[in-house]
Amino acid sequence: MTSDTEEATTEAAAAAVVVVVEEERVRSLSTASEVSEDSATALLPDVTFGPANHTGMGSPRSNRESQPLLGTRHELDDFNHWPDDPHFTDLVRQAETAIENGIYPERIYQGSSGSYFVKNSNGISTTSCLDKRKIFGVTSVKTVPLVQKVISVYKPKDEEPYGRLNPKWTKWLHKVCCPCCFGRSCLVPNQGYLSEAGASLVDQKLQLNVVPKTRVVKLASETFNYTRIDREKSRAKKMVSERFPKVGRHFHRIGLPPKVGSFQVFVEGFKDADYWLRRFEAEPLGETTSRQFQLQFERLVILDYIIRNTDRGNDNWLIKYDKPELEDTGDGEDWSLVKPPEVKVAAIDNGLAFPFKHPDSWRAYPYHWAWLPWAKVPFSQETRDLVLPLLSDMNFVQELCDDMKNLFGTDKGFDRHIFERQMSVMRGQILNLTQALRDSKSPVQLVQMPAVIVERSKGRVGTTARFRSFSDTFTQSFQEKSPFFSWC
């Protein structure tokens, strides 16, 4: 009876090997193509991404030396590598190392998409955090785990509000019960991760320094939302590779497939703007601090206006306010100022920006900061000196558009014509902003200016597909259609 059972087990394992190897052979001979979200094949795993050799099922460090990863780690390392930014590269390496050691990203339950707090590997070693206590003459050793530090917020593409693997049921209910109001007609679907990185790019180019650095990164983790097919295939491959190492060496990947998404550096000490704005109403800031906040606020306005952010409420931008620190001199009456107050602004949640047209259907998606008292103050000379020389230079604007194209072009669904429409809206926003800064207008007056679109000429240069490109002449037009609701 035992021999029959062992023989049946061997045959089942051999059958699994044949199925998996055949699947890998077919995959290597086929070309990955875009699959419609509405089709049944949308549940198949994305095979165009490089393998993630550090997220096998089971124990994170089990049999790592014997896992046949086929040298695929370097492919992911090449994607998550920025020679001009070693600090950010090191931060991503910390995230990858933490996942390898079983410290998986933690899902953020707020919001309407699958976003995650990514932590570093602090807390792995417990030898340096022993709590020694002497009780009744006997020394007891207690292991105290170190606190893991959140280093970034990661938002996978396929878990965005309207992505096919969004783990939040609210958007699914929205799509089923209210399809006529599903999504935002002015935005490209499932491009939020590029919008997050694009906002960071604009912030860096203009030296605004209000957006935490964000880039497109590939990560894989068991806590991400995967299809059952992906998880079962990963489990089967790991089982086969452990039992038949020679066969496992032929696998394209063993772990779960990595996901592409936005990786934004986590900022510490910040709170929702709504919290501090209410505090500032009850406890007004001093003159110097108020001036400092005004300058930060103007940079937020410039960023949102250029990228035409359609989702800027007071709950998705942050404020950090360090109150002044005082020290008693000793006589009980005199106090000396140790640290002056400091206020900073962080523009997060930029995933609903870069529309290909101005909102013109139901909602206008206004900027909620336009109702704040700081929006009624004309732009300061410091802000004008910072951005006006850059925005007035057409070479700079074209360079910005080229950088945006390099970023957005990494998406598999990139459409050159749709992207050109997005840049037409952005160029129109830059044109309005430049005029407002020259005329010393306020943010309120800026948002009241008519919506402008600056398009390239429809003519083309060159007759062959290799040399065909848009011409360098532009036409300016105004949007005539207005949304039904202008206040929301």
Side-chain angles (χ1 to χ4, degrees):
M1 185 67 178
T2 304
S3 60
D4 295 340
T5 303
E6 293 179 354
E7 181 178 357
T9 304
T10 305
E11 292 179 356
V17 172
V18 172
V19 171
V20 176
V21 172
E22 180 65 20
E23 179 185 324
E24 292 296 325
R25 186 183 67 83
V26 174
R27 175 185 296 178
S28 64
L29 296 177
S30 61
T31 303
S33 60
E34 283 294 321
V35 183
S36 172
E37 294 180 7
D38 297 332
S39 63
T41 56
L43 296 179
L44 293 178
D46 190 348
V47 298
T48 59
F49 291 149
N53 57 8
H54 53 272
T55 55
M57 304 294 292
S59 177
R61 286 189 177 276
S62 61
N63 300 327
R64 290 184 58 191
E65 291 80 3
S66 61
Q67 290 183 2
L69 302 180
L70 296 180
T72 53
R73 173 63 183 269
H74 74 277
E75 298 179 12
L76 194 60
D77 290 346
D78 291 341
F79 187 91
N80 295 339
H81 179 65
W82 298 269
D84 59 335
D85 194 351
H87 176 71
F88 191 88
T89 302
D90 179 69
L91 197 67
V92 176
R93 292 289 178 271
Q94 293 182 33
E96 295 173 342
T97 303
I99 295 176
E100 288 181 355
N101 289 281
I103 305 178
Y104 300 118
E106 179 182 350
R107 183 179 298 170
I108 304 173
Y109 290 96
Q110 294 84 1
S112 58
S113 65
S115 53
Y116 301 84
F117 284 131
V118 180
K119 303 177 182 180
N120 61 7
S121 57
N122 289 343
I124 290 297
S125 175
T126 58
T127 57
S128 60
C129 55
L130 298 180
D131 183 13
K132 296 184 178 180
R133 300 180 182 180
K134 196 169 185 179
I135 303 176
F136 301 109
V138 178
T139 302
S140 63
V141 181
K142 178 182 178 182
T143 300
V144 181
L146 296 176
V147 178
Q148 299 165 2
K149 181 180 178 182
V150 177
I151 59 176
S152 74
V153 175
Y154 186 70
K155 299 180 180 181
K157 174 187 176 181
D158 58 7
E159 298 186 31
E160 290 181 5
Y162 305 108
R164 64 187 180 94
L165 293 179
N166 181 12
K168 307 295 180 61
W169 61 269
T170 53
K171 286 302 176 182
W172 175 85
L173 189 65
H174 182 193
K175 182 177 182 179
V176 173
C177 299
C178 192
C180 59
C181 300
F182 181 71
R184 305 192 179 194
S185 60
C186 58
L187 296 177
V188 180
N190 296 336
Q191 207 179 68
Y193 78 108
L194 292 177
S195 180
E196 295 275 4
S200 179
L201 176 61
V202 173
D203 175 83
Q204 295 177 36
K205 296 285 289 186
L206 292 176
Q207 302 177 12
L208 300 176
N209 299 324
V210 294
V211 178
K213 184 170 291 186
T214 311
R215 293 183 184 271
V216 176
V217 172
K218 286 183 179 180
L219 291 178
S221 171
E222 294 182 10
T223 54
F224 294 162
N225 193 29
Y226 287 97
T227 62
R228 185 176 180 179
I229 296 177
D230 284 337
R231 294 191 181 275
E232 292 299 331
K233 289 177 62 177
S234 176
R235 186 178 293 108
K237 290 179 182 180
K238 184 175 184 296
M239 179 186 67
V240 172
S241 63
E242 289 179 351
R243 189 159 185 173
F244 305 97
K246 293 183 179 180
V247 177
R249 294 191 183 97
H250 298 281
F251 290 157
H252 180 62
R253 78 167 61 88
I254 294 179
L256 294 166
K259 293 191 174 190
V260 62
S262 61
F263 188 97
Q264 185 174 86
V265 177
F266 183 78
V267 289
E268 298 180 351
F270 286 78
K271 293 184 178 181
D272 290 345
D274 186 65
Y275 170 83
W276 282 116
L277 293 176
R278 295 178 184 274
R279 292 287 300 272
F280 293 161
E281 291 180 0
E283 305 174 7
L285 297 173
E287 182 178 355
T288 303
T289 310
S290 179
R291 177 66 175 176
Q292 187 180 13
F293 178 71
Q294 180 69 36
L295 297 177
Q296 290 281 305
F297 176 79
E298 292 175 0
R299 297 188 178 196
L300 172 70
V301 170
I302 290 175
L303 171 75
D304 281 347
Y305 193 81
I306 290 179
I307 68 177
R308 187 48 183 101
N309 198 335
T310 65
D311 186 34
R312 181 62 79 203
N314 292 334
D315 58 342
N316 56 10
W317 60 287
L318 308 176
I319 297 177
K320 181 181 180 180
Y321 177 53
D322 294 331
K323 295 183 178 181
E325 296 181 3
L326 302 177
E327 183 182 42
D328 189 359
T329 56
D331 54 7
E333 296 182 358
D334 297 334
W335 296 77
S336 61
L337 185 64
V338 176
K339 182 181 179 181
E342 185 178 9
V343 61
K344 293 182 179 180
V345 167
I348 61 172
D349 289 344
N350 304 301
L352 298 175
F354 299 101
F356 60 87
K357 66 175 182 177
H358 289 281
D360 59 358
S361 55
W362 289 101
R363 299 173 58 188
Y365 306 109
Y367 310 98
H368 286 262
W369 43 252
W371 287 283
L372 298 177
W374 296 274
K376 300 178 181 179
V377 180
F379 285 102
S380 63
Q381 187 63 40
E382 291 89 338
T383 301
R384 295 169 60 191
D385 293 340
L386 175 65
V387 300
L388 191 56
L390 298 175
L391 298 180
S392 301
D393 185 1
M394 288 302 300
N395 292 326
F396 173 83
V397 175
Q398 183 59 43
E399 180 182 348
L400 176 61
C401 293
D402 293 340
D403 291 341
M404 295 297 297
K405 184 177 181 180
N406 294 333
L407 172 63
F408 280 57
T410 59
D411 187 76
K412 294 185 301 179
F414 175 75
D415 188 308
R416 185 166 62 99
H417 299 280
I418 294 295
F419 173 78
E420 182 57 33
R421 294 179 62 183
Q422 291 176 293
M423 294 299 98
S424 297
V425 174
M426 189 180 74
R427 282 190 291 262
Q429 296 291 95
I430 292 177
L431 181 63
N432 273 351
L433 178 60
T434 302
Q435 189 62 40
L437 292 175
R438 289 173 177 171
D439 297 341
S440 299
K441 292 184 177 182
S442 64
V444 169
Q445 294 173 322
L446 171 64
V447 299
Q448 293 173 349
M449 298 177 68
V452 181
I453 299 176
V454 179
E455 300 176 288
R456 287 185 184 271
S457 172
K458 298 300 182 181
R460 295 184 181 272
V461 178
T463 57
T464 64
R466 182 178 180 182
F467 297 102
R468 189 176 298 143
S469 63
F470 287 104
S471 64
D472 292 332
T473 59
F474 298 90
T475 57
Q476 174 182 332
S477 60
F478 295 91
Q479 176 175 304
E480 299 179 356
K481 185 180 179 181
S482 300
F484 187 81
F485 300 104
S486 60
W487 49 271
C488 66

